[in-house]
Amino acid sequence: MSTVKTYAIIGGTSGMGFALAQQLVARGDRVLIGGRSPEKAEAAAQKLGPLATARTVDARERASIAAFFEGSGPLAGLFTPGSVNHSVSFREDSQEAAEAVFKAKFWGQYWTVHAALPHLAPDAAVVLMSGAASVRPIGAPAYAACNAAVEGLARALALELAPIRVNCVSPGTIDSELWRNKPPEVFKAVGEMWEKLTLNRRFGTVAEAAGAALFLLDNGNMSGSTIYVDGGYTLR
Ligand SMILES: NC(=O)c1ccc[n+]([C@@H]2O[C@H](COP(=O)([O-])OP(=O)(O)OC[C@H]3O[C@@H](n4cnc5c(N)ncnc54)[C@H](OP(=O)(O)O)[C@@H]3O)[C@@H](O)[C@H]2O)c1
């Protein structure tokens, strides 16, 4: 009987999700990765090689999430970083933008776990994605509140879904495509700010954040926890 395990990653076509896919494939596991862009998904699967399958998915749409998981089980684990960030202040925010962050990041992960359930192995592990703004916000209240909600969701799901384990990764600022795709002056300003706010005086790497997700997938004694991979930003 094959011992190769399969892990699903919505948001696995770049950034921290892709870094986790690389770490899983490197040890011989299979990955099912998803993102909205078919081109990105195809390119990511090519880079990962024959242990990877890519499908397009939009975590804001329940039908799309259901189609992503079709025929995928049994899955040993699930990671859900498929979202974007949101940095608008309370006074500047529009209803549409403030609610969009919850639609993608909170409800996206909520309904992803729901749709994944029939495809998860009985001892599977789920890792949700929040962000250290949950406990130390820099403006952007909708984003801070959304991250805190995701961390609460991880605790509540851990209770309800046991023995399936549910945990959360809460990174500080990570040097990923999310920042690299912004104008260079924005990337530089964020880097300088982050140097002042952290103890290690640098961005985190996608490999470091993915390493935390891998630990939560693997460690059978972790359930309902949030790991802050943030260079001491939140000092928890
Ligand atoms: N980077 C940071 O500093 C940082 C810090 C704290 C928390 N986070 C959180 O971590 C998550 C990922 O960040 P990252 O830095 O790894 O970003 P990234 O490099 O931009 O990767 C995001 C991934 O999610 C996919 N994605 C985005 N929206 C999606 C949607 N609606 N449905 C399905 N897939 C979607 C992207 O592909 P497509 O674009 O093709 O959809 C891509 O695969 C985000 O939720 C972000 O809020 C990031």
Side-chain angles (χ1 to χ4, degrees), residues 13-16 36-37 40 58-59 81 105 130 143 172 174 176 179:
T13 63
S14 72
M16 295 177 258
R36 293 163 302 173
S37 153
K40 254 173 87 171
D58 189 334
K105 194 163 181 174
S130 63
Y143 185 66
I174 301 294
S176 72
W179 293 112

Side-chain angles (χ1 to χ4, degrees), residues 10-13 19-20 28 42 46 59 66 76 93 111 125 129 143 151 163-164 167-168 191 203 223 233:
I10 290 192
T13 63
L20 178 65
E42 178 56 34
Q46 289 253 336
D93 224 347
W111 292 118
M129 170 61 78
Y143 185 66
E151 292 171 17
I164 290 173
N167 292 287
C168 188
F203 277 106
S223 195
Y233 171 70

Side-chain angles (χ1 to χ4, degrees), residues 9-18 34-41 56-61 64 79-86 101 103-105 108-109 129-133 143 147 169-179 181 190 203-204 206:
I9 307 173
I10 290 192
T13 63
S14 72
M16 295 177 258
F18 181 73
R36 293 163 302 173
S37 153
E39 295 77 23
K40 254 173 87 171
T56 53
V57 59
D58 189 334
R60 296 167 298 186
E61 304 295 336
S64 174
F79 183 41
T80 53
S83 181
V84 292
N85 73 344
H86 173 78
V101 66
K103 172 86 177 158
K105 194 163 181 174
Q109 296 191 82
M129 170 61 78
S130 63
Y143 185 66
N147 285 314
V169 170
S170 189
T173 301
I174 301 294
D175 183 356
S176 72
E177 287 85 338
L178 185 148
W179 293 112
N181 290 339
V190 169
F203 277 106
V206 290

Side-chain angles (χ1 to χ4, degrees), residues 96-116:
E96 195 188 3
E99 292 179 6
V101 66
F102 270 84
K103 172 86 177 158
K105 194 163 181 174
F106 179 81
W107 292 112
Q109 296 191 82
Y110 184 100
W111 292 118
T112 293
V113 178
H114 196 272

